[in-house]
Amino acid sequence: MARWLKVVLKTVSAMFLAVLLLWCGLAFYVYKNNQTVLKTLIQQLNKHVNGDIQVGSLEPTLLKGFPGVSVTLQELRLRDSLWQQHHHDLLHARHIHVTLDVLSLLRGQVDIRKIALQNAEIYVYTDSTGYSNSHILRTGGASEAKDEKDGHGVLAIRKMAFDQVNLIVDNRQRAKRFDFEINALDGKIDYPDSGWNGSFKLKTLIKSFAFNTHKGSFLKDKALEGTLTAHYDRKSEAIRIDQNKLKIGDDDFQVGAAIQLTRHVPAFSVSIQADAVAYQRLSRLLAPNISSKLLEFSIEKPIAVTGTITDDGKKTSADPLIEVRMIVKDNTVGFPSGELSQCSFTGTFTNQQDPKKGISDENSLIRFYNLTGNFYNAPLKIDTFSIKNLSHPLAEGFVTSSFNLNRLNRNIGEDTFTFNDGQADLRLFCRMDIDNFRFTKPVLSGNIIVKNADITYLPRNMRFVKSNLTLFFNQKDLSLSNSRFQLGKSILYVDGDIRNFLNFYYTDPAKIVANIRLRSPMLSLGEFMSFLGPRKTQKKKTPRHGNETPVADQLATVLEMSQVNLALQVDKATYKRFVANKLTAAVAMTDAGIAFNDININHAGGSLKMKGNIRPSGKRNVFRMQASVHRVNVKEFFHAFDNFGQSTVTNQNLNGLISAEIDASGSMTDAGVLLAHSMFGQVRFNLQQAALIGFEPLQKVQKLAFRNRDFNHIALNDLQGTLSLAGDKVQISPLQINTSVLNFNIKGVYGFNNGTDIAMDIPLRNPKKDEGISDPEERALARMRGIVLHLKAVDDGKGGVKIRWNSAHD
């Protein structure tokens, strides 16, 4: 072995032996003088504590702190003078392992270089008056600063470790509670002239991080793990925590903080940043009063977020200032009434939008900048959209969009509407309340313009083509102008207004009243018959977001439940055989049926006035009408109304002009077909310039007694009478019928199926013999002279009518 190596080994061995002997001597000193060491240690602590320090025992742990000298304090308690009132130890440590500076022992001092707390609780308590048990910690002065600088003060702790330590900050005055279960903490500290720098490896469970215990905790029951790098500046009495990566729950965040330790204004600020974090997990990190609202929404892919939480230490607010910035790109955002796909925006949040007002939900503001996305597959663009006052949220923004209507089919169509073609342009300023995360009380200003639309309304099976629509929103009201609809052969020009439309759209559609003015050069009434029956139900798709009412369903509900008052002006209207000219009408359509008021029609050379209503009743539609008919061609009139559901007297049997007053009710199908034998009511008629052509009952009379008279074409003088309709029967009030071939009196009941019982008194006298009598009274007496046949028309048992003698005549 080389000589120089031997010298080195001997020197090192001697130095090691010297250190070992010194360490053993000091360890022996500590062991023999543990009470003295404990007393000195407590004296050092008392330099910084103005309270009661209790230690159960001190035991040397010689190897634990090698090459330093270590002792273990058992059951250490640190209490303030008011402990008997609140019963919270500022510190209760079952085990504290303290590593002492060897050189300080040689100087007769006890300086701490490392403290390790095991199974301990730190409880910083502040009562409702503002008193805190932390007041026992003395503020460091110039001497302490010198000690720290020289490394001789109790605060010059080089290392720190926590093992199963609970740290609780309980401020009853400001309703704050911070509760950390620190599983492990391992830190190193050095002391530059400005203060100290430390690095702490931390693993903890956050039981509570509540700035306002009435509103709940942030980060509730979330694990936090990472390394904190902290700096204390003695001059400003502030701690700065560098922004480093920390794992909170399952996500990585960049977290930093600033803590102001001045006694008069204790304050702190926490900053947090994540480049990609799941929205739902992020929301659950917040306090329940915020997260419960955010979780009503969803964002499909991870988002980038930055935020700060600041407590200025002032007593003006229990809540901290929260400011958040969020960046969403090409994402899917869900909310209770739908979703935005391919959505991008920059969002911000603050709970103090007005610096002159306090921090509160009422002073909160959410803003979305440059928001784009597809709402029900319709592209939307909003420069700025705001939600103010989270206690009673109010949303507002200017929305623009331009799209082909067929883009709506995938989300809105299939159930209620089918959009085949058309272009929509939308420019709206929107303001609305948000009640239970649903838009209510909307206020809109702007317009929606639809051109060349081809839309099928499925519940009524109505297809509108080549249609244009202009909707103008003015606050709560809606107006229509320059609108054109085509349904089959029918062309409609529409304008009108709906007062308070937006007040009732979501809350009470039955209160919506639309006043519509409708003009048409050609209206085919049969194309609107689907309004008579019930809506056709479609198979519903399951909503993607809870129990919300889809947009199409809400619109369909409004269309069905709202009342529509139509003022009609139609050049020509048709329904099957019926043709009307210059039709004007006032029509009220509600979910209970259709009411017709003041209908005026030119028809068959005359005119009709009518009012009435139609209401659905099971599989049929019940109608009631009151009509005035003035000098209408009776042949065309009977033809137009399909002979009013009977086949005895048809349009083929009649000529002349008829006027009538009709008060009747009946039933029809959803297709508008009159149900046989459903008519009830009364018809008072006046027939002028009339002729009865090929009327079978009178032709049978001809075969009995009047073979030489022409019963095929019977001219009728003015005829007035009353018919009472009773289902399958017609009650004929007594009539005196004067014709060119025969005069007779008639009364009784005509049955469409059976029950015919008509009495006829027929004088055989030829009416032509009375043509020379000018006196009406004399002509009336002459009318019944001579032989009079008393006959009765009754059922023949084969579905027809037979004539027999009436032995019981008047």
Side-chain angles (χ1 to χ4, degrees):
M1 180 181 294
R3 179 180 177 82
W4 64 269
L5 183 57
K6 291 181 180 181
V7 173
V8 170
L9 290 176
K10 289 180 180 180
T11 302
V12 171
S13 298
M15 293 178 62
F16 176 76
L17 182 61
V19 170
L20 181 61
L21 290 173
L22 177 62
W23 181 83
C24 290
L26 292 174
F28 180 76
Y29 171 80
V30 172
Y31 180 76
K32 283 294 186 180
N33 299 277
N34 61 346
Q35 293 301 316
T36 303
V37 173
L38 176 61
K39 182 178 179 181
T40 305
L41 182 60
I42 291 176
Q43 288 175 349
Q44 291 281 24
L45 292 174
N46 275 329
K47 292 180 181 180
H48 302 276
V49 174
N50 184 21
D52 180 25
I53 302 176
Q54 300 177 8
V55 179
S57 63
L58 181 147
E59 298 178 1
T61 50
L62 301 180
L63 297 178
K64 192 175 184 68
F66 185 84
V69 176
S70 297
V71 295
T72 297
L73 304 179
Q74 307 283 357
E75 294 295 333
L76 184 144
R77 298 177 184 270
L78 183 58
R79 294 177 175 176
D80 65 314
S81 59
L82 297 182
W83 182 89
Q84 291 294 339
Q85 295 183 16
H86 56 73
H87 300 288
H88 292 297
D89 294 335
L90 179 61
L91 171 63
H92 176 203
R94 290 174 177 78
H95 307 283
I96 297 183
H97 305 288
V98 181
T99 300
L100 305 176
D101 185 357
V102 174
L103 296 180
S104 70
L105 292 175
L106 296 177
R107 296 193 304 267
Q109 296 179 346
V110 177
D111 288 347
I112 300 172
R113 284 298 172 257
K114 179 179 179 180
I115 286 183
L117 274 69
Q118 185 178 18
N119 296 323
E121 180 179 84
I122 302 170
Y123 200 114
V124 181
Y125 173 78
T126 303
D127 67 14
S128 59
T129 67
Y131 172 79
S132 175
N133 64 352
S134 64
H135 292 171
I136 64 175
L137 300 177
R138 294 176 176 175
T139 304
S143 61
E144 180 182 331
K146 182 179 183 303
D147 284 342
E148 288 186 11
K149 180 178 178 181
D150 296 338
H152 301 311
V154 71
L155 296 181
I157 299 171
R158 300 294 181 181
K159 295 181 179 180
M160 181 182 295
F162 286 179
D163 180 11
Q164 305 302 318
V165 176
N166 284 1
L167 171 61
I168 300 172
V169 179
D170 182 5
N171 189 325
R172 304 289 176 86
Q173 184 185 40
R174 299 186 63 197
K176 300 180 185 297
R177 183 179 178 87
F178 307 102
D179 187 346
F180 303 88
E181 289 186 359
I182 303 174
N183 298 315
L185 180 146
D186 191 6
K188 295 181 180 180
I189 307 172
D190 60 65
Y191 296 87
D193 292 343
S194 59
W196 55 258
N197 298 321
S199 177
F200 306 90
K201 188 175 181 180
L202 176 66
K203 184 176 182 181
T204 184
L205 177 67
I206 302 173
K207 300 296 292 183
S208 177
F209 200 71
F211 296 94
N212 186 338
T213 54
H214 303 298
K215 296 182 178 180
S217 169
F218 291 76
L219 306 174
K220 179 70 173 175
D221 294 325
K222 296 298 180 183
L224 184 149
E225 186 174 356
T227 299
L228 301 177
T229 302
H231 311 275
Y232 171 69
D233 182 78
R234 185 181 301 107
K235 183 177 181 181
S236 62
E237 296 187 58
I239 296 176
R240 186 185 81 253
I241 300 176
D242 294 342
Q243 194 151 5
N244 287 327
K245 184 175 76 172
L246 292 179
K247 182 177 285 294
I248 302 176
D250 297 321
D251 297 292
D252 291 333
F253 294 86
Q254 294 290 326
V255 180
I259 303 172
Q260 184 67 48
L261 298 178
T262 54
R263 181 173 297 276
H264 299 294
V265 189
F268 67 87
S269 175
V270 178
S271 62
I272 187 169
Q273 178 181 339
D275 295 330
V277 60
Y279 173 83
Q280 280 73 15
R281 291 207 296 266
L282 176 66
S283 299
R284 291 187 177 94
L285 298 180
L286 305 177
N289 68 310
I290 301 175
S291 63
S292 62
K293 298 173 183 177
L294 295 181
L295 288 172
E296 289 287 335
F297 304 84
S298 65
I299 299 179
E300 189 175 272
K301 295 184 290 188
I303 60 174
V305 63
T306 59
T308 60
I309 302 175
T310 304
D311 187 340
D312 61 7
K314 298 179 182 178
K315 299 179 181 180
T316 55
S317 174
D319 296 320
L321 174 64
I322 300 175
E323 295 178 314
V324 179
R325 182 180 180 87
M326 176 190 305
I327 299 176
V328 175
K329 294 182 178 179
D330 193 22
N331 220 317
T332 298
V333 179
F335 47 94
S337 58
E339 70 174 24
L340 286 171
S341 60
Q342 298 178 357
C343 180
S344 300
F345 63 84
T346 298
T348 63
F349 167 79
T350 178
N351 57 354
Q352 192 180 25
Q353 63 156 325
D354 186 348
K356 297 179 181 179
K357 298 180 181 179
I359 296 171
S360 64
D361 287 347
E362 291 78 6
N363 197 24
S364 296
L365 174 66
I366 301 174
R367 277 213 172 111
F368 302 91
Y369 297 97
N370 300 319
L371 190 153
T372 60
N374 293 331
F375 181 61
Y376 286 102
N377 212 33
L380 297 181
K381 180 179 180 181
I382 306 175
D383 290 336
T384 304
F385 187 78
S386 303
I387 301 176
K388 302 177 181 178
N389 186 353
L390 294 187
S391 292
H392 302 285
L394 177 67
E396 63 180 26
F398 185 74
V399 183
T400 62
S401 183
S402 180
F403 57 93
N404 192 289
L405 292 177
N406 59 24
R407 296 190 60 168
L408 301 177
N409 284 323
R410 189 174 67 186
N411 297 91
I412 292 182
E414 299 181 13
D415 292 342
T416 308
F417 296 94
T418 297
F419 300 92
N420 305 303
D421 200 3
Q423 183 71 22
D425 293 286
L426 181 151
R427 294 177 61 84
L428 288 175
F429 176 78
C430 309
R431 180 185 292 115
M432 61 197 76
D433 290 352
I434 303 177
D435 183 11
N436 196 24
F437 306 100
R438 286 163 175 80
F439 294 129
T440 63
K441 300 178 182 178
V443 175
L444 304 180
S445 298
N447 57 57
I448 299 175
I449 299 175
V450 178
K451 296 181 179 179
N452 299 319
D454 184 343
I455 304 172
T456 301
Y457 179 47
L458 298 175
R460 299 291 181 183
N461 194 28
M462 302 173 72
R463 182 178 181 182
F464 296 91
V465 299
K466 300 178 182 178
S467 299
N468 301 319
L469 173 66
T470 299
L471 299 175
F472 180 75
F473 292 89
N474 182 15
Q475 303 296 314
K476 299 289 186 180
D477 302 331
L478 171 65
S479 62
L480 295 81
S481 62
N482 301 320
S483 299
R484 177 191 186 274
F485 298 91
Q486 182 170 341
L487 177 64
K489 297 178 181 178
S490 301
I491 298 175
L492 311 173
Y493 297 97
V494 180
D495 62 272
D497 57 83
I498 308 174
R499 301 293 180 186
N500 292 311
F501 174 75
L502 296 176
N503 277 340
F504 302 125
Y505 183 87
Y506 290 101
T507 58
D508 197 350
K511 291 184 178 179
I512 293 176
V513 178
N515 297 304
I516 306 298
R517 295 170 292 280
L518 187 150
R519 296 173 290 105
S520 176
M522 170 62 186
L523 192 65
S524 176
L525 297 176
E527 292 166 342
F528 295 86
M529 284 298 112
S530 59
F531 276 107
L532 297 178
R535 299 172 69 235
K536 296 179 175 63
T537 58
Q538 307 292 323
K539 184 178 180 181
K540 300 294 183 183
K541 292 183 288 187
T542 302
R544 291 187 59 178
H545 301 281
N547 298 320
E548 75 274 7
T549 302
V551 170
D553 286 355
Q554 181 64 33
L555 178 57
T557 299
V558 170
L559 291 175
E560 294 297 324
M561 296 186 64
S562 59
Q563 177 175 329
V564 180
N565 296 327
L566 290 176
L568 292 173
Q569 184 177 339
V570 181
D571 295 339
K572 182 179 180 180
T574 64
Y575 177 65
K576 295 186 177 179
R577 301 174 180 178
F578 178 79
V579 178
N581 297 300
K582 296 182 179 179
L583 182 152
T584 61
V587 179
M589 304 173 64
T590 68
D591 62 337
I594 303 173
F596 302 95
N597 300 301
D598 195 24
I599 298 178
N600 294 278
I601 301 171
N602 289 345
H603 170 66
S607 63
L608 287 81
K609 291 185 177 181
M610 185 173 65
K611 62 180 180 179
N613 60 74
I614 302 174
R615 58 180 178 81
S617 178
K619 295 183 178 180
R620 59 178 183 159
N621 300 282
V622 178
F623 68 87
R624 182 174 182 84
M625 68 173 182
Q626 292 175 317
S628 294
V629 181
H630 180 67
R631 295 184 63 82
V632 170
N633 185 295
V634 68
K635 185 179 185 70
E636 296 182 27
F637 188 58
F638 267 62
H639 176 74
F641 287 94
D642 198 20
N643 299 307
F644 298 95
Q646 53 83 40
S647 59
T648 303
V649 181
T650 70
N651 62 297
Q652 299 298 325
N653 304 124
L654 297 169
N655 273 334
L657 301 176
I658 187 171
S659 299
E661 296 293 329
I662 304 170
D663 187 351
S665 63
S667 299
M668 64 176 68
T669 66
D670 292 347
V673 176
L674 183 68
L675 294 177
H677 316 317
S678 67
M679 292 284 287
F680 291 82
Q682 189 178 78
V683 179
R684 297 194 307 274
F685 65 91
N686 183 338
L687 193 59
Q688 298 174 330
Q689 304 173 21
L692 198 59
I693 303 169
F695 184 52
E696 183 182 0
L698 290 181
Q699 288 176 332
K700 290 182 178 181
V701 173
Q702 179 190 16
K703 294 179 181 179
L704 290 176
F706 306 102
R707 297 183 182 274
N708 296 323
R709 301 182 194 181
D710 184 5
F711 277 75
N712 291 322
H713 188 283
I714 303 172
L716 296 169
N717 296 332
D718 290 351
L719 176 63
Q720 296 184 14
T722 300
L723 304 177
S724 297
L725 309 177
D728 64 345
K729 294 179 176 60
V730 178
Q731 179 71 45
I732 304 171
S733 298
L735 290 175
Q736 285 189 356
I737 302 174
N738 300 315
T739 75
S740 59
V741 296
L742 192 67
N743 296 327
F744 59 93
N745 299 335
I746 185 173
K747 64 178 181 179
V749 176
Y750 177 78
F752 294 114
N753 293 323
N754 53 56
T756 298
D757 188 2
I758 301 174
M760 296 178 289
D761 298 322
I762 306 172
L764 299 182
R765 180 184 179 87
N766 193 331
K768 293 186 179 295
K769 294 180 179 181
D770 298 330
E771 290 179 354
I773 302 174
S774 59
D775 182 37
E777 292 184 3
E778 184 179 349
R779 178 177 290 184
L781 292 173
R783 181 176 180 274
M784 298 301 291
R785 290 174 184 164
I787 299 173
V788 178
L789 299 179
H790 300 287
L791 304 176
K792 180 173 284 192
V794 296
D795 296 327
D796 65 0
K798 300 178 181 180
V801 177
K802 66 181 180 179
I803 305 297
R804 64 177 176 82
W805 295 106
N806 184 9
S807 59
H809 63 82
D810 295 337

